Amino acid sequence: MIPASFDYFRPSTLDEALEVFAGAGEEAKVLAGGQSLLPLLRLRLAYPTAMVDVGRVAELRGVADRGDHVHIGATTTHDEVVRSPIVREHCPLVALATATVADPAVRHRGTFGGSLAHADPAGDLPAVALALDMVFVVRSSTGDRTIPAADFFLDYLESALQPGEILTGVRVPKLGPGWGFHYEKFHRTAQAWATVGVAAAVRQTNGTVEEVRVGLTNMGPTPVRAAGVEAAARGVEAGRNGSLRQAAEQAAEGTDPPADLHAQPDYRKHLARVLTHRALVSASAHRSPQT
């Protein structure tokens, strides 16, 4: 299909982008990699009056070590995130999950911030953002503000971004030694959205699980934090498969998975339990050294 008509702007600086975006009206959209937005335009599921292409804005791109966190610029491509030594060292769960996004062609064009701002619960990165307590940095003509990941995803394809605001980057806290990470995903093909995905982070001391974080992909209208699993896994022996399996049984608690051509809610709940167990086992087995 052919998208509805809109005005197109391609600023070269962030200040210029903010000025254009502020004057373009509430129905304006930001275009980064376009891998999520363009399909919506073609299907006429989105009708922006204006498109602000931020692909030339160098200030929005790159990965930086900021001491207690890693800053990932909004227009940094998925491929750049996966290949970044800083990301691999300090937030490996981000690299693991980003490497599963779609296929190489999409990862070379799609952007880290664009995927998160799109707020699709079937996307891989929103669940990771929840599990790692990422912080979203946004800017408007009136200044900057930060939004915790727990407050960013409001509903299906709806985020806490306000009209005139542009996501400039994401802060990923460094969790430090003793943590293990894994992203487990079930999908039909490499290009398909996850039927269900699980982002898991496990911190253990002397073989005992001290802290667990679990984010679920495609288990509701927003990404879900599996609080039941986190509580049940705390204090168990990391090497005891049965204990982790029992904790994983809480994965579907409080979820509202969708029904579509690929899976019904009960099947997604079953997958959530199975994949959570696998993710916990893998995260427990692969952790950074203690200090």
Side-chain angles (χ1 to χ4, degrees):
M1 294 183 66
I2 300 174
S5 62
F6 53 82
D7 294 326
Y8 176 79
F9 303 92
R10 197 179 186 189
S12 56
T13 68
L14 182 54
D15 286 341
E16 183 185 352
L18 290 168
E19 182 180 356
V20 171
F21 197 42
E26 292 190 3
E27 298 304 317
K29 291 286 187 181
V30 172
L31 176 66
Q35 301 303 295
S36 297
L37 180 57
L38 291 181
L40 294 183
L41 296 178
R42 288 198 299 268
L43 294 172
R44 296 210 173 191
L45 297 175
Y47 293 84
T49 55
M51 193 78 68
V52 182
D53 185 345
V54 295
R56 284 182 175 175
V57 181
E59 301 153 85
L60 299 178
R61 194 163 191 161
V63 177
D65 187 336
R66 299 284 173 81
D68 62 346
H69 70 272
V70 172
H71 179 87
I72 302 177
T75 62
T76 307
T77 67
H78 298 308
D79 183 69
E80 289 168 337
V81 170
V82 172
R83 294 175 182 272
S84 167
I86 295 174
V87 172
R88 291 191 178 201
E89 178 181 359
H90 297 295
C91 36
L93 181 56
V94 172
L96 288 170
T98 306
T100 74
V101 172
D103 54 32
V106 170
R107 291 195 292 273
H108 276 78
R109 286 291 303 167
T111 64
F112 191 80
S115 180
L116 289 167
H118 189 56
D120 191 334
D124 299 290
L125 300 181
V128 177
L130 276 188
L132 295 180
D133 289 329
M134 293 185 192
V135 176
F136 294 76
V137 183
V138 303
R139 183 177 297 181
S140 68
S141 57
T142 60
D144 293 339
R145 73 180 179 114
T146 58
I147 309 171
D151 300 326
F152 187 78
F153 305 103
L154 303 181
D155 206 340
Y156 182 73
L157 301 184
E158 182 181 347
S159 76
L161 287 169
Q162 298 296 315
E165 287 185 333
I166 293 177
L167 177 66
T168 60
V170 180
R171 298 173 184 169
V172 187
K174 296 180 183 178
L175 295 186
W179 284 90
F181 307 93
H182 190 68
Y183 186 69
E184 189 75 24
K185 174 180 178 178
F186 180 86
H187 53 169
R188 296 178 300 108
T189 66
Q191 295 84 5
W193 297 106
T195 306
V196 173
V198 180
V202 177
R203 179 173 64 85
Q204 53 180 299
T205 303
N206 298 324
T208 299
V209 174
E210 300 288 346
E211 187 177 355
V212 176
R213 301 181 183 185
V214 176
L216 301 178
T217 296
N218 215 4
M219 288 296 290
T222 64
V224 178
R225 186 82 176 255
V229 175
E230 296 176 354
R234 203 171 296 123
V236 307
E237 292 183 35
R240 295 190 62 179
N241 200 328
S243 297
L244 293 176
R245 186 186 300 276
Q246 187 174 7
E249 286 297 309
Q250 311 301 314
E253 181 181 293
T255 63
D256 183 24
D260 55 31
L261 293 174
H262 310 302
Q264 294 300 305
D266 58 344
Y267 181 55
R268 280 195 163 93
K269 290 182 178 182
H270 167 72
L271 280 177
R273 292 188 285 266
V274 172
L275 299 181
T276 297
H277 175 237
R278 293 179 185 175
L280 291 176
V281 170
S282 294
S284 298
H286 302 93
R287 65 185 190 278
S288 57
Q290 299 286 346
T291 58

